[in-house]
Amino acid sequence: MAEKTFTVKVEFPEGGEETFEAGAGEYILGAARRAGLQLPSLCEQGWDLACAVKIVEGEVDQSDSRRYFEEDRKCGFALICTGKACSDLVIVPYQSKQMRKCRDEHGLPAPRGT
Amino acid sequence: MAREMPHATGKVPPGDVTQRVGIEVMEARGVNVEELREKLIDAIAAEFASTYYYYTILRMYLAGHEDYKEICEDARLEDRAHFELMTPRVYELGGSLPYNLHEFADRAGCPHAYLPGTDNGQHAPEMGDGKGPSAADILEVLLDSERCAIRTWSEICDLTAGGKDPRTYDLASRILNEEIEHEAWFIELLSMERDGVVRPSGHFRRGEPGEAPYSKNRPLYNP
Ligand SMILES: [Fe+2]
Ligand SMILES: [Fe+2]
């Protein structure tokens, strides 16, 4: 049986949007790259915040990420380098500073340079 | 029209010790010095706290694989050399190490290389009767760590390349040379240990443990 796929809509902070398909078992960043969409990343292991996105709609599975907190989810952020879509998604990329602010507000660790 | 002269755009008066021409020349070339400095601190925190420290533990659990221990030792000591090589640059750029080690470890840009079987460093691994972390599990952690290091130093090189910041570029590219070697070593070892497949690193041995031929100012091993 073919893997379930979801539609991921990317809304860029400066306007404009792109859409691509992501399989249920693959990382969202990898699916974006396959579709020819360049999004930022650094460690690609779900630790630093370079690949942070705001989740406008939908659910992301972060169980493969090396450092992801419940508070991150409550603040509405995902790390797409190691996040898998669990539903259709609407996401806003380039959110590392915003995600770090959420970490700071909850006294949680984060790199400071991304 | 006169040629572009970014070195001649500065405003630091003679005798002023509150500003640095070394920073001004970078800004004149479009470097965001503060952002670069913060990235460097994250990167050296990863060298020190995510790899050097945790590789010390990983190496202890490679008992019986003396060859792997030697390679892990080279990578471990060279990561310490990377921390030492780039730390002075942080101060030159007006920064400092965090005054608290916890803060330093927390901001590392790469995952802590926890020993497998410890729930991310929460407890000792269960040992005996074939339990305990396998060599393959440990090599996987080592390989992933090196890959994060390569991505990190490549980004620093990208931000400083093209004459924007030759000094940071030189230091970062020396580190990158060794990280790329470290990845090749752990691909070779993991590939054979886990999959039984030969994937040579193509490298000769270091002259001494942690020789760091690029990141310490000594000649290359080239007999
Ligand atoms: Fe290193
Ligand atoms: Fe390394």
Side-chain angles (χ1 to χ4, degrees):
Chain A
M1 204 184 90
E3 192 194 39
K4 204 168 157 56
T5 65
F6 298 107
T7 302
V8 182
K9 184 159 111 180
V10 183
E11 297 180 347
F12 292 96
E14 289 98 64
E17 52 183 61
E18 296 273 355
T19 300
F20 62 92
E21 296 294 308
E26 69 177 331
Y27 298 140
I28 299 164
L29 180 71
R33 285 195 186 150
R34 208 181 51 239
L37 185 60
Q38 287 290 327
L39 294 173
S41 71
L42 190 54
C43 77
E44 303 195 7
Q45 296 169 23
W47 179 273
D48 80 292
L49 310 184
C51 69
V53 302
K54 181 92 188 166
I55 306 172
V56 180
E57 253 180 68
E59 287 255 355
V60 176
D61 171 4
Q62 297 287 176
S63 52
D64 288 350
S65 301
R66 294 293 310 277
R67 191 164 74 180
Y68 183 83
F69 299 99
E70 199 40 46
E71 287 82 352
D72 295 332
R73 188 186 312 280
K74 285 188 188 135
C75 289
F77 294 105
L79 297 175
I80 57 169
C81 69
T82 47
K84 300 175 200 162
C86 307
S87 67
D88 289 343
L89 294 173
V90 180
I91 57 176
V92 181
Y94 299 98
Q95 299 298 302
S96 36
K97 288 195 174 65
Q98 291 83 341
M99 184 164 175
R100 189 168 70 226
K101 192 159 165 266
C102 165
R103 291 268 176 101
D104 289 349
E105 283 165 7
H106 292 91
L108 293 168
R112 319 301 305 174
T114 46
Chain B
M1 210 186 99
R3 76 185 169 93
E4 234 191 296
M5 295 187 290
H7 65 280
T9 59
K11 295 178 181 65
V12 178
D16 182 353
V17 293
T18 67
Q19 299 180 73
R20 288 173 193 247
V21 172
I23 289 179
E24 191 177 59
V25 292
M26 290 165 62
E27 285 167 342
R29 287 160 179 79
V31 178
N32 181 336
V33 174
E34 198 186 316
E35 187 188 299
L36 176 67
R37 188 177 74 210
E38 295 306 305
K39 281 181 191 289
L40 290 178
I41 299 171
D42 292 351
I44 59 173
E47 297 288 350
F48 183 90
S50 295
T51 57
Y52 170 62
Y53 178 80
Y54 285 104
Y55 281 21
T56 309
I57 300 170
L58 292 173
R59 182 176 181 276
M60 300 296 175
Y61 282 81
L62 284 169
H65 300 272
E66 298 309 302
D67 43 355
Y68 298 175
K69 274 166 72 178
E70 288 293 291
I71 304 293
C72 185
E73 184 69 346
D74 282 327
R76 182 180 85 90
L77 293 174
E78 291 187 2
D79 282 355
R80 189 183 67 189
H82 300 166
F83 162 73
E84 303 257 319
L85 184 72
M86 198 55 93
T87 294
R89 189 68 181 135
V90 168
Y91 282 82
E92 284 176 358
L93 298 180
S96 80
L97 293 176
Y99 295 98
N100 183 305
L101 180 58
H102 298 285
E103 200 186 308
F104 190 50
D106 275 352
R107 67 175 293 177
C110 288
H112 296 163
Y114 297 119
L115 181 67
T118 65
D119 279 326
N120 292 331
Q122 297 300 301
H123 54 74
E126 246 191 275
M127 299 302 293
D129 279 345
K131 290 195 287 275
S134 68
D137 290 345
I138 292 175
L139 291 169
E140 270 186 48
V141 172
L142 291 163
L143 176 60
D144 281 347
S145 297
E146 300 302 343
R147 290 182 162 165
C148 185
I150 291 175
R151 294 184 178 115
T152 298
W153 294 113
S154 295
E155 192 202 18
I156 301 292
C157 285
D158 288 344
L159 291 169
T160 54
K164 289 214 291 276
D165 176 4
R167 179 157 164 78
T168 305
Y169 182 87
D170 175 54
L171 300 174
S173 66
R174 290 198 225 176
I175 295 172
L176 182 58
N177 266 289
E178 286 166 6
E179 303 299 10
I180 289 169
E181 296 190 345
H182 297 174
E183 182 195 35
W185 302 343
F186 293 126
I187 286 176
E188 175 176 309
L189 299 181
L190 177 61
S191 178
M192 179 51 78
E193 176 70 25
R194 190 189 61 192
D195 308 330
V197 178
V198 177
R199 290 194 172 85
S201 72
H203 298 155
F204 302 113
R205 66 176 282 257
R206 291 292 197 245
E208 62 185 63
E211 186 189 20
Y214 296 89
S215 66
K216 286 182 188 168
N217 284 317
R218 279 195 263 115
L220 293 171
Y221 177 67
N222 187 12

